[in-house]
Amino acid sequence: MDPSLRRQVRPAVSYLAIRQLTKRFGDFQALAGVDLEIAAGSLVCFLGPSGCGKSTLLRAIAGLDLPTSGSIHQAGRDITSLPPEQRDFGIVFQSYALFPNLTVAANVGYGLINLRQPRAEVDRTVADLLTLVGLGGSGPKYPAQLSGGQQQRVALARALALKPGLLLLDEPLSALDARVRVHLRQEIKALQRRLGITTILVTHDQEEAMTMADVVVVMNQGGIEQVGRAEDLYDRPATKFIADFIGTMTAFDAVRDGSDLVAGSVRLVGTADSQDRVAVRLRPERLQLALPGVAGAHAGRLTTREFLGTHVRLGIDVGLPGATALLVDVPADGQGAALSVGADVAVLIPADAIHRFAA
């Protein structure tokens, strides 16, 4: 392989700096003062619901949509107003965007040929890249002869052909079926690690973001809600939006009663703070089944049971407002998994499992 295709992972210093970036489309504000730093060599994911601004932010970085205000610096260079062709990036789209009338090799080498690089050098680079993405020997084929996953590998090789400092992935796996998507995201992660190229992935798929990214940037309504590792977002959500968006939670409001929080007939002892009304969130795997009558346990009745492979998710009515079921995950091979709907059970809620937010 051409040694120039390998990149050493650089120290975790800022490679991309975004400052107070805003973007308006008429009266609609798609980005609202975004501040973000991305470390060199990292794989960062922009995650959020549709319309949150993640794709707009990616397009601003690529120069496809110039920001209304703010700045973007890449490797110390101000690229805020530069056109795409003057920026240092490669991009892969959801739709592959391959030329159907060109061979795989011609698609990958298209940018190199436009730069009038020597034919032998182009052929060598294309061959190296196709081997790198697991398509060695596929150069003479046409895109229509490849599967969706193979076409996306070709698009990835084409994006890497000019040896960019930044790789942008705009929901590249969303058009693929589930099995191919899981396999390809593992390949992309391994390839990014091998090359050490700074990479930004845009997705609405939580699992994709949590398994691939070094850092996840969760966006909402044009701003950033939280930036952190997958573990940080899951275990220590900074906002109610994050708690509700990442993973599964039992959600209910509670009021302060002395040092306790009270919701319906449920009393959470010694968990109140200075707020009179709070939003409570509980992860189902942090709760524990207990026998009715155990001290500190909340008595209830099993109302739903879902088999989810490695675990069973139980819905238990413990008297929360609005008939909200308390969700509890138990191992699929454990005693709790054999309970039938209608059974009397009890649930222990550890104090450190309670997430509290402003209601």
Side-chain angles (χ1 to χ4, degrees), residues 269-354:
V269 178
T271 58
D273 52 26
S274 60
Q275 295 174 306
D276 288 329
R277 188 175 181 85
V278 299
V280 176
R281 299 293 184 267
L282 304 170
R283 292 275 182 215
E285 71 274 11
R286 295 294 313 279
L287 308 187
Q288 304 162 18
L289 285 185
L291 294 173
V294 169
H298 302 274
R301 184 175 61 86
L302 183 61
T303 58
T304 61
R305 180 185 182 278
E306 294 180 277
F307 176 73
L308 298 174
T310 58
H311 64 279
V312 174
R313 178 159 295 160
L314 306 177
I316 301 171
D317 180 6
V318 294
L320 289 171
T324 298
L326 196 63
L327 301 178
V328 181
D329 286 352
V330 297
D333 57 356
Q335 287 185 327
L339 290 170
S340 300
V341 170
D344 292 327
V345 293
V347 182
L348 289 168
I349 304 176
D352 61 0
I354 300 171

Side-chain angles (χ1 to χ4, degrees), residues 87-119:
R87 303 189 185 206
D88 179 19
F89 72 91
I91 190 166
V92 178
F93 297 101
Q94 172 185 342
S95 60
Y96 320 141
L98 301 177
F99 299 112
N101 59 320
L102 298 183
T103 65
V104 166
N107 267 281
V108 174
Y110 185 81
L112 300 172
I113 293 171
N114 280 349
L115 292 178
R116 302 183 183 279
Q117 292 195 7
R119 188 76 223 187

Side-chain angles (χ1 to χ4, degrees), residues 23 27 31 33 68 102 104-105 152 163 166 170 221 278 319 330 332:
K23 177 63 179 179
D27 294 332
L31 296 176
T68 304
L102 298 183
V104 166
Q152 201 58 296
K163 305 181 184 68
L166 178 65
D170 190 4
Q221 297 182 338
V278 299
V330 297

Side-chain angles (χ1 to χ4, degrees), residues 249-260:
M249 291 273 201
T250 298
F252 57 91
D253 287 347
V255 295
R256 182 161 60 96
D257 183 13
S259 63
D260 302 341

Side-chain angles (χ1 to χ4, degrees), residues 14 42 244 285 346:
S14 176
S42 62
D244 291 337
E285 71 274 11

Side-chain angles (χ1 to χ4, degrees), residues 152-356:
Q152 201 58 296
R153 288 188 181 92
V154 175
L156 183 59
R158 182 179 61 186
L160 294 170
L162 296 178
K163 305 181 184 68
L166 178 65
L167 178 63
L168 304 177
L169 307 175
D170 190 4
E171 305 217 35
L173 308 180
S174 60
L176 305 175
D177 65 53
R179 186 182 296 273
V180 174
R181 192 162 61 240
V182 169
H183 181 66
L184 194 52
R185 75 188 184 203
Q186 294 170 345
E187 290 189 354
I188 290 174
K189 175 71 172 177
L191 180 60
Q192 189 271 337
R193 280 280 179 266
R194 184 176 180 181
L195 298 179
I197 184 172
T198 307
T199 301
I200 298 174
L201 166 70
V202 166
T203 184
H204 62 273
D205 187 317
Q206 290 186 30
E207 185 175 313
E208 192 173 292
M210 304 287 267
T211 56
M212 291 182 67
D214 301 313
V215 174
V216 181
V217 179
V218 182
M219 298 187 66
N220 181 37
Q221 297 182 338
I224 293 176
E225 288 275 339
Q226 188 172 351
V227 178
R229 300 177 307 153
E231 297 91 330
D232 298 328
L233 300 174
Y234 190 87
D235 294 331
R236 292 173 291 279
T239 66
K240 186 168 63 171
F241 173 84
I242 296 290
D244 291 337
F245 184 70
I246 301 293
T248 299
M249 291 273 201
T250 298
F252 57 91
D253 287 347
V255 295
R256 182 161 60 96
D257 183 13
S259 63
D260 302 341
L261 287 175
V262 177
S265 61
V266 173
R267 180 175 290 271
L268 304 175
V269 178
T271 58
D273 52 26
S274 60
Q275 295 174 306
D276 288 329
R277 188 175 181 85
V278 299
V280 176
R281 299 293 184 267
L282 304 170
R283 292 275 182 215
E285 71 274 11
R286 295 294 313 279
L287 308 187
Q288 304 162 18
L289 285 185
L291 294 173
V294 169
H298 302 274
R301 184 175 61 86
L302 183 61
T303 58
T304 61
R305 180 185 182 278
E306 294 180 277
F307 176 73
L308 298 174
T310 58
H311 64 279
V312 174
R313 178 159 295 160
L314 306 177
I316 301 171
D317 180 6
V318 294
L320 289 171
T324 298
L326 196 63
L327 301 178
V328 181
D329 286 352
V330 297
D333 57 356
Q335 287 185 327
L339 290 170
S340 300
V341 170
D344 292 327
V345 293
V347 182
L348 289 168
I349 304 176
D352 61 0
I354 300 171
H355 298 278
R356 297 183 294 272

